[in-house]
Amino acid sequence: MEIQSEPISHESSESKVEIQVLRDYAQVQREDSPVILVNPAHGNEPYILGTAIAKGVSDRLAEQGLGRAKIVVPLLYGDRQRRILMEENPDATGLIHYDEEFGKILRDVIFQNGDFSQHLRQINQHYEDVQRMLKQRFSVDVGDFTTRNLASNEIQTFSPKNVVATIDTASRVVVDAPQRYFAFPILISELLRESKKAGLDFSEADTASLIEKMLKVESGYSQVFIPKINPLSYQYSEDLSLQPTEVDGRSKTYTPAMKREYQRTQGKVVEPGIYVMFSGTGSIADTTQKLIDAAGQGGLKVYTNKEVEGATAVSPDVLTDENILAVLGRGGWGTGWQVQNLALPWFVTPYEQGDDPEVYFNNKTIDALKMGKILTDVDMTPEKLREVIQNFSVGIQAINRKIKDEFKTLNGIDFIAGAIVDDFLAKK
């Protein structure tokens, strides 16, 4: 499921010259080898999202006759990440390259153990070293860097001079590039400030230190893309048009949900039911079992993305089937954007202390906009499940109609990629 101030620069004067030259996309060191780097945060969705946007940008630039950009993604999660990227991009595996060294460098600032307080300390402790290693990895003064092709696993060499842009999906650190674009539900500095206001139990010193760092990171973004429905939308539930279009002196561009549009299908599952999307932490096991029992009593099947007693394990691809009536999972937007674009009610588990604070605010938005329900024991009856499914489907359909009217599409990936290309070519 899931940023601003005075611009900061990490380049030498010589590399600044190189980067300025590369504002013309066509001027790269090797023919037909411009590179877009994906610079993600933790979890699956950031690298999935960043890669999808980069692919959209690459396709559009190729249509302009400027050469198809290669995409480089840090390898953070081994073979599982490679498998997911191939499943998500079956027609572009030869375009995508994974960078093991890039992934190793980022691990010291990646949220890994379910303790966000420790994550804040970890970033503050390792931030300067990670920035130094990234600068060296992608410095034009150091030389080429190597990756592996996602499809063939063959080694390929790229020059840092060919890196024309980064797609930052909530990364905590900077990779120097002529253009840097942010796309995610919320800027990190904004998330941390809201967490402090909400009284979430994180170190004040660590939070303040990281806010300062993130404001510098965020100051260099060419554009900031935030979905119209986001963690802070609950504050504007009566009128989403009042959401601020500027933060810390920089503009935000609102977008549809950061997924493609989906068409409902038939025949993937036979019986009407609820899909349960297990989180990586397994924190929803108790809630899931109660849901399975209640759904069964109400004549609803329960489908899951893993083997669980009393449920049927199937691929998440079945979410499009008309027999899927609702989705249960942790309140992250990787699942939520799919659910939103399919106009399905979203049952979410309560926020747990230590989890990413984004989930805390996501749940508030889901509840305030009546997109779904934060599940409690009171809701675990067949009658209540049926009632929620019926009532909330109508609400989400209304939200989607408003988004379609405003943006002319529900496809946030396509919307963002188009906006980036327009910006990029305007600076060519």
Side-chain angles (χ1 to χ4, degrees):
M1 316 279 249
E2 32 246 199
I3 288 182
Q4 289 96 41
S5 214
E6 270 304 337
I8 188 170
S9 175
H10 297 277
E11 309 103 28
S12 66
S13 58
E14 291 83 6
S15 62
K16 283 181 181 176
V17 172
E18 295 285 358
I19 284 177
Q20 188 64 38
V21 168
L22 275 175
R23 290 190 184 279
D24 185 339
Y25 179 89
Q27 294 181 19
V28 293
Q29 187 184 33
R30 297 187 181 91
E31 185 180 358
D32 289 331
S33 57
V35 175
I36 299 173
L37 289 179
V38 176
N39 187 17
H42 57 272
N44 291 327
E45 186 57 28
Y47 69 75
I48 292 172
L49 172 61
T51 303
I53 294 171
K55 179 180 177 297
V57 171
S58 180
D59 290 344
R60 283 161 181 75
L61 287 171
E63 290 169 5
Q64 298 289 327
L66 293 173
R68 187 174 299 279
K70 303 292 176 61
I71 300 163
V72 173
V73 187
L75 190 69
L76 295 166
Y77 303 110
D79 288 342
R80 173 168 62 93
Q81 181 180 346
R82 291 177 58 207
R83 174 180 55 77
I84 290 171
L85 283 173
M86 286 190 282
E87 290 172 354
E88 292 281 333
N89 305 277
D91 60 339
T93 54
L95 192 70
I96 300 167
H97 299 257
Y98 65 91
D99 186 335
E100 293 171 292
E101 185 62 27
F102 188 7
K104 287 177 184 176
I105 292 170
L106 290 181
R107 280 175 194 153
D108 278 339
V109 291
I110 289 290
F111 182 39
Q112 301 180 61
N113 57 10
D115 183 347
F116 199 80
S117 293
Q118 184 174 332
H119 175 56
L120 296 180
R121 291 194 299 271
Q122 180 183 8
I123 297 174
N124 286 320
Q125 289 170 1
H126 296 285
Y127 182 82
E128 298 300 334
D129 285 343
V130 170
Q131 279 296 171
R132 177 182 51 77
M133 288 187 286
L134 286 175
K135 179 176 174 57
Q136 183 174 17
R137 174 78 176 158
F138 298 110
S139 169
V140 295
D141 299 324
V142 172
D144 294 349
F145 62 94
T146 58
T147 67
R148 287 187 179 272
N149 184 273
L150 184 63
S152 68
N153 213 35
E154 292 178 356
I155 293 174
Q156 182 154 349
T157 301
F158 293 106
S159 168
K161 293 181 181 180
N162 289 12
V163 176
V164 294
T166 66
I167 308 296
D168 289 42
T169 48
S171 177
R172 278 53 166 162
V173 289
V174 174
V175 177
D176 290 329
Q179 306 294 332
R180 293 172 49 230
Y181 297 96
F182 178 93
F184 212 65
I186 188 170
L187 294 163
I188 303 306
S189 62
E190 203 171 15
L191 174 64
L192 295 173
R193 284 184 299 208
E194 291 294 325
S195 299
K196 186 177 178 181
K197 287 182 195 175
L200 299 185
D201 189 21
F202 304 127
S203 162
E204 192 164 328
D206 285 335
T207 300
S209 177
L210 189 54
I211 288 172
E212 183 180 358
K213 290 180 174 67
M214 291 303 97
L215 287 171
K216 292 178 181 178
V217 169
E218 296 159 5
S219 69
Y221 290 132
S222 303
Q223 286 195 7
V224 172
F225 298 99
I226 302 290
K228 189 77 172 187
I229 309 299
N230 60 72
L232 302 185
S233 292
Y234 73 93
Q235 299 174 359
Y236 307 91
S237 58
E238 296 300 317
D239 187 354
L240 291 174
S241 69
L242 297 178
Q243 293 185 102
T245 56
E246 189 176 283
V247 60
D248 297 316
R250 292 187 50 81
S251 64
K252 290 181 179 180
T253 299
Y254 287 108
T255 77
M258 294 179 175
K259 286 288 183 185
R260 60 183 176 86
E261 290 191 60
Y262 298 92
Q263 299 296 320
R264 299 308 297 268
T265 60
Q266 294 179 330
K268 290 187 176 182
V269 294
V270 177
E271 300 176 60
I274 297 171
Y275 194 91
V276 176
M277 188 77 75
F278 276 87
S279 69
T281 62
S283 61
I284 63 174
D286 184 56
T287 302
T288 301
Q289 192 56 56
K290 291 177 180 177
L291 180 77
I292 290 171
D293 295 342
Q297 292 167 22
L300 293 172
K301 193 86 170 175
V302 176
Y303 303 97
T304 67
N305 61 331
K306 61 187 288 187
E307 296 288 343
V308 180
E309 187 177 351
T312 302
V314 290
S315 164
D317 291 344
V318 307
L319 284 181
T320 60
D321 195 278
E322 291 181 352
N323 275 328
I324 299 298
L325 306 180
V327 176
L328 166 69
R330 176 173 170 269
W333 288 110
T335 298
W337 287 326
Q338 297 176 67
V339 172
Q340 180 185 333
N341 277 359
L342 287 165
L344 292 171
W346 189 9
F347 295 109
V348 292
T349 51
Y351 172 76
E352 294 185 333
Q353 184 61 42
D355 198 357
D356 188 328
E358 184 200 320
V359 173
Y360 173 84
F361 297 107
N362 291 347
N363 282 5
K364 292 175 77 69
T365 286
I366 293 160
D367 188 53
L369 298 185
K370 295 181 170 52
M371 299 174 68
K373 184 80 173 171
I374 303 171
L375 279 186
T376 65
D377 287 346
V378 175
D379 303 307
M380 297 298 189
T381 68
E383 296 76 20
K384 190 67 174 178
L385 290 177
R386 289 279 189 183
E387 177 188 333
V388 171
I389 289 170
Q390 181 176 353
N391 292 342
F392 285 88
S393 294
V394 176
I396 303 173
Q397 288 169 6
I399 288 172
N400 282 351
R401 281 195 298 272
K402 290 180 180 178
I403 289 174
K404 190 76 174 268
D405 287 344
E406 180 175 352
F407 298 103
K408 312 307 179 190
T409 182
L410 295 180
N411 188 332
I413 301 297
D414 195 56
F415 181 90
I416 296 166
I420 288 175
V421 169
D422 288 345
D423 180 75
F424 205 97
L425 294 180
K427 295 170 179 173
K428 179 177 177 291

